[in-house]
C-alpha cells in the first residue's frame, strides 16, 4: 500500500495505488491517470482548489501545466471568481509561478462582459448598474460598456419609505450585473430592484451563483450567490448566470474556442459548478481532491453524478507527484 | 347592475351584486358577505392592503371594526411588517382612527421575540445578532433578550479576505434575527454568516419572507424575503419564518389566544401569506380586493387555492358601504 499525503489543508487521504476506495469511486494516481487524457485536446482548469488554495500553490501544479503544454494540449482557465479581471488574474498566475496568458483565462468578470457583448448590449447605448468589484469594472471597460456603481458608492441612502418613493434611477440603465460586492447594501438593493422592475427590458446578470468560498482556517466567506438571490427575490427577476453552474458558458466556450466537447476535459473541485458543467456538455470530467469536495462526499453520490476521474491532485493527472 | 367603485389605488372593479365575475370567483357585497361570518368568533386581520394602504385608511375600515366588536367578535391584527413594535403599531392604528390595543396586535417584530421565548432563548444567557430595525429592537428588549446590531452599525468593514479571516464574532451570540434592515450590508452578511456557520446551535430567525411591498405610485420596495434568502444562501442555513407564510405562527396563535380554527377567520389581501395561513390551519378565509391581489389573479387560480370569500373591501364584510 502506497501512502499518499495530500497537500490539501485539513483533509488527508490514504489510498491504494489506483485502488477502489469506496463504492464506485476510484482514485487514480500518476501511473494510471495520464492515460485517461490521451485523446483530450483541450483542458479546462478551475483555479482555486485545483491550482492553488488561497495564496498557496498546489504542489507541482506549474510543472503539471508544463507537461500538458509539452503534450500539445490547449489550456483554458475558467474561474467563477469575479473579483479580478483577466489581466489581474494573469498577474496572480505569474506570481505563483504559473505561466498563463490573459487570453487563456475565462474569469466570471470577463464572462459578464462577454455575455453582454453576445446580446448586443454595447451597441444599445445603455449602461450597466454594477453591484461588483474591480474585476468586472475592468472587463466592462475593455468591452466598451459604460457602468455606474462598482467600487464607487453612487446610490443615495434608502433608509425610509419616502426616500424610496422619491428615488429616480438613471433611465439609461439596461442591465444590472451582480458580482462579489463588498459594497452591497440595502440602498444598492433598492436601486437595483427599481431598475429591474421599472426600466423596460432591463436584464439581470450574475457573474456566478456560488454560495460561499473557503478562505482558509476552516472559514467560509459569503459568495456572490446570496447577493444574486437577494436581488432576484426583491425584484421578482431571474438572473442569467454566466459562469460555471449556468447554461450560457459552455456553448459560448465551444463557439469561441472552437471546442470539440468529446476532446475536452474539465478539471475542477466543485460538483455543482465544474463537474456539472462538464457532464452537462459531454466533457470528460476530472476531480482533484485538493479543493472543497471530499472522498466522503463522493462516496455518497449516485454513479451518474460522479466525475469520470478522481485524482489526489492535478500533479497526478500529469503523471507527476 | 350595481356599479361599485373600489377605493383601491389603480385597479377598478365593476361587479354585479353578489354576481359571478369569472370562473369560480364570486365577489360578495354588503348584503351577502356578513352572513358568512355568522359562526365566526375571532377575526384575524392583515393590516396593509386591508385596513390601510401606506398612510391612507381604507374607506369605512374603522366603522367595520366597530361593527365586528359590537357583534362580540374578538379581533387580532397580524402583520408581516417588522419595522414597528406592537406599541408603535398601536400609535399608527390610533392615528388612522382605528381603535386597537397593543395586545390585539401581532406584528412580526413581536413574533420574532415570541418565537425566541417559546424556545427558551431568554434563559440561555445568549445574545441575538439583529439585522433589523427599531420594531424588533423594542420587542426583544420587552422579552428580556439582549442583542447587538439593529439600528447601530457595530460590524467592522469586511471588504477584503484578510478582514474576513481575522473577524472574531461575539461567541455569546445564539441567534441571528433577520428583519427589514435598511442597514443591511455585505459586512453584516459576513458577520451573520460566520455566527451561523461557526457558533454551535446558533439559529436563524426570519421576521417574514415577503419578497417586496407596495409603497404607492406603482413602486415596490424590497421586503425582508431577499435579505433572508441572502443570509440563508451565504450561511448554508434555513431560517425559521415566524410570520404568515411560515409554519410556526398559527399553532402559536391558537395556543396563546385559545383559538378554535373552525370559528376563526382571516381577512387578508395576500395569497402566499394570509390565505395560505388560513387554508393551512382550516380557518375561514376572506380576501378584500383593496390590496395586492387582483380579480385577474384569482381567476387564474385552481379552486383549491381560492379564498372562501372575496369582498370589494373590509367594509362590505361588515355590511357597510
Amino acid at each position: 500500500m502506497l501512502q499518499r499525503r495530500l497537500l490539501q489543508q485539513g483533509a488527508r487521504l490514504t489510498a491504494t495505488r489506483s485502488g477502489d476506495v469506496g463504492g464506485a469511486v476510484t482514485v487514480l494516481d500518476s501511473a494510471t491517470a495520464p492515460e485517461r487524457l490521451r485523446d483530450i485536446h483541450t483542458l479546462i482548469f478551475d483555479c482555486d482548489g485545483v491550482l492553488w488554495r488561497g495564496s498557496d500553490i498546489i504542489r507541482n501544479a506549474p510543472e503539471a501545466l508544463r507537461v500538458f503544454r509539452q503534450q500539445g494540449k490547449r489550456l483554458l482557465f475558467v474561474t467563477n471568481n469575479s473579483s479580478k479581471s483577466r489581466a489581474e488574474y494573469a498577474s496572480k498566475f505569474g506570481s505563483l509561478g504559473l505561466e498563463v496568458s490573459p487570453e487563456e483565462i475565462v474569469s466570471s468578470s470577463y464572462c459578464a462582459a462577454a455575455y453582454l457583448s453576445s446580446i448586443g448590449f454595447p451597441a444599445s447605448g445603455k449602461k450597466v448598474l454594477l453591484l461588483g468589484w474591480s474585476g468586472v469594472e475592468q472587463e466592462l471597460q475593455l468591452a466598451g460598456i459604460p457602468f455606474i456603481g462598482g467600487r464607487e458608492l453612487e446610490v443615495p441612502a434608502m433608509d425610509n419609505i419616502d426616500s424610496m418613493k422619491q428615488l429616480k434611477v438613471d433611465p439609461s440603465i439596461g442591465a444590472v450585473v451582480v458580482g462579489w460586492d463588498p459594497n452591497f447594501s440595502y440602498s444598492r438593493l433598492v436601486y437595483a430592484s427599481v431598475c429591474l422592475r421599472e426600466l423596460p427590458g432591463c436584464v439581470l446578470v450574475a457573474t456566478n451563483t456560488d454560495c460561499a468560498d473557503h478562505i482558509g482556517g476552516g472559514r467560509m466567506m459569503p459568495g456572490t450567490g446570496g447577493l444574486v438571490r437577494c436581488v432576484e427575490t426583491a425584484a421578482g427577476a431571474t438572473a442569467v448566470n454566466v459562469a460555471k453552474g449556468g447554461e450560457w458558458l459552455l456553448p459560448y466556450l465551444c463557439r469561441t474556442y472552437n471546442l470539440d466537447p468529446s476532446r475536452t476535459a474539465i478539471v475542477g473541485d466543485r460538483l455543482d459548478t465544474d463537474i456539472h458543467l462538464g457532464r452537462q456538455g459531454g466533457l470528460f470530467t476530472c476531480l482533484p481532491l485538493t479543493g472543497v469536495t471530499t472522498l466522503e462526499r463522493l462516496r455518497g453520490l449516485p454513479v451518474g453524478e460522479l466525475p469520470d476521474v478522481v485524482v489526489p491532485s492535478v500533479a497526478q493527472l500529469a503523471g507527476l507527484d
Side-chain angles (χ1 to χ4, degrees), chain A:
Chain A
M1 183 186 276
L2 176 66
Q3 290 229 330
R4 208 171 274 289
R5 179 166 277 228
L6 288 187
L7 290 166
Q8 188 181 359
Q9 290 175 336
R12 292 280 181 272
L13 166 72
T14 305
T16 58
R17 179 180 287 264
S18 300
D20 185 344
V21 287
V25 184
T26 302
V27 181
L28 301 184
D29 65 13
S30 55
T32 53
E35 168 66 12
R36 305 292 296 275
L37 297 184
R38 199 184 47 187
D39 298 329
I40 295 297
H41 290 179
T42 303
L43 283 160
I44 297 177
F45 289 95
D46 180 39
C47 302
D48 195 23
V50 174
L51 303 176
W52 62 70
R53 279 180 73 96
S55 53
D56 302 328
I57 188 79
I58 299 288
R59 190 156 79 98
N60 278 340
E63 293 73 15
L65 297 190
R66 269 180 228 123
V67 167
F68 295 130
R69 288 194 198 277
Q70 283 161 8
Q71 293 169 344
K73 299 189 194 301
R74 182 166 50 171
L75 310 185
L76 288 175
F77 301 87
V78 180
T79 170
N80 275 13
N81 191 314
S82 72
S83 66
K84 295 184 177 65
S85 65
R86 281 179 144 186
E88 288 172 324
Y89 258 111
S91 298
K92 167 150 188 172
F93 277 90
S95 73
L96 290 169
L98 296 157
E99 293 148 13
V100 169
S101 72
E103 292 70 31
E104 292 174 312
I105 299 169
V106 184
S107 57
S108 68
S109 53
Y110 170 74
C111 292
Y115 171 75
L116 288 171
S117 294
S118 78
I119 62 168
F121 195 86
S124 70
K126 298 277 189 183
K127 286 193 194 87
V128 159
L129 170 68
L130 173 59
L131 278 54
W133 205 236
S134 64
V136 186
E137 285 183 356
Q138 290 179 24
E139 296 297 347
L140 290 176
Q141 281 160 349
L142 285 171
I145 299 172
F147 65 87
I148 63 168
R151 284 170 299 175
E152 297 301 318
L153 282 168
E154 295 170 17
V155 176
M158 295 287 125
D159 54 1
N160 60 65
I161 289 179
D162 279 343
S163 59
M164 287 185 260
K165 277 185 173 169
Q166 287 154 21
L167 175 65
K168 289 191 192 348
V169 298
D170 183 337
S172 69
I173 290 170
V176 174
V177 174
V178 180
W180 180 70
D181 183 14
N183 283 337
F184 192 84
S185 66
Y186 187 77
S187 300
R188 286 193 156 205
L189 175 65
V190 173
Y191 201 96
S193 166
V194 169
C195 289
L196 290 162
R197 286 186 179 274
E198 300 182 17
L199 299 179
C202 188
V203 295
L204 177 58
V205 178
T207 62
N208 70 84
T209 59
D210 295 7
C211 299
D213 297 300
H214 292 274
I215 55 173
R219 177 153 287 177
M220 299 186 83
M221 62 176 256
T224 301
L227 310 182
V228 173
R229 296 285 168 258
C230 187
V231 175
E232 286 185 323
T233 304
T238 303
V240 176
N241 175 7
V242 299
K244 290 178 288 187
E247 305 297 315
W248 178 78
L249 181 61
L250 191 60
Y252 169 77
L253 290 178
C254 290
R255 203 165 61 237
T256 306
Y257 294 94
N258 200 24
L259 299 185
D260 173 357
S262 70
R263 300 283 190 166
T264 304
I266 184 157
V267 186
D269 68 317
R270 293 180 83 121
L271 292 164
D272 58 340
T273 52
D274 305 310
I275 304 307
H276 174 80
L277 179 86
R279 297 192 66 87
Q280 180 192 16
L283 272 54
F284 189 75
T285 55
C286 311
L287 188 136
L289 291 165
T290 42
V292 298
T293 305
T294 61
L295 259 186
E296 285 63 38
R297 173 83 181 94
L298 289 171
R299 283 183 182 130
L301 283 182
V303 174
E305 292 177 25
L306 286 172
D308 294 303
V309 168
V310 179
V311 286
S313 91
V314 69
Q316 283 76 12
L317 197 60
L320 305 169
D321 187 7

